[in-house]
Amino acid sequence: MCPNCEDFARTVLLLGQLALYADMAGADLDFVEAVSASLAVSLPEPPPGTFPDDYDPDGGPAYPGDS
């Protein structure tokens, strides 16, 4: 297994669990905001093979407000 695969999978799992928690009634949304940003920043590079070789993250459609 590649060195970052386990870290990447664990971080993505935690982000998913946090999203589920955020949808619960009574969820602490300040906590969700703080932790989600920290988790997202801590994501390592995706493991090899996650995206096709010709994948270009800047090749998609323009976001609203972008020219």
Side-chain angles (χ1 to χ4, degrees):
M1 181 177 244
C2 67
N4 290 337
C5 290
E6 187 177 341
D7 290 340
F8 183 80
R10 184 182 303 119
T11 305
V12 170
L13 176 67
L14 287 170
L15 281 167
Q17 290 175 333
L18 189 61
L20 291 173
Y21 169 72
D23 285 339
M24 293 175 51
D28 182 351
L29 297 181
D30 290 334
F31 170 80
V32 171
E33 184 177 337
V35 173
S36 62
S38 298
L39 282 173
V41 167
S42 73
L43 272 172
E45 287 292 316
T50 302
F51 298 107
D53 292 335
D54 61 346
Y55 175 74
D56 179 9
D58 297 323
Y63 288 97
D66 286 352
S67 53

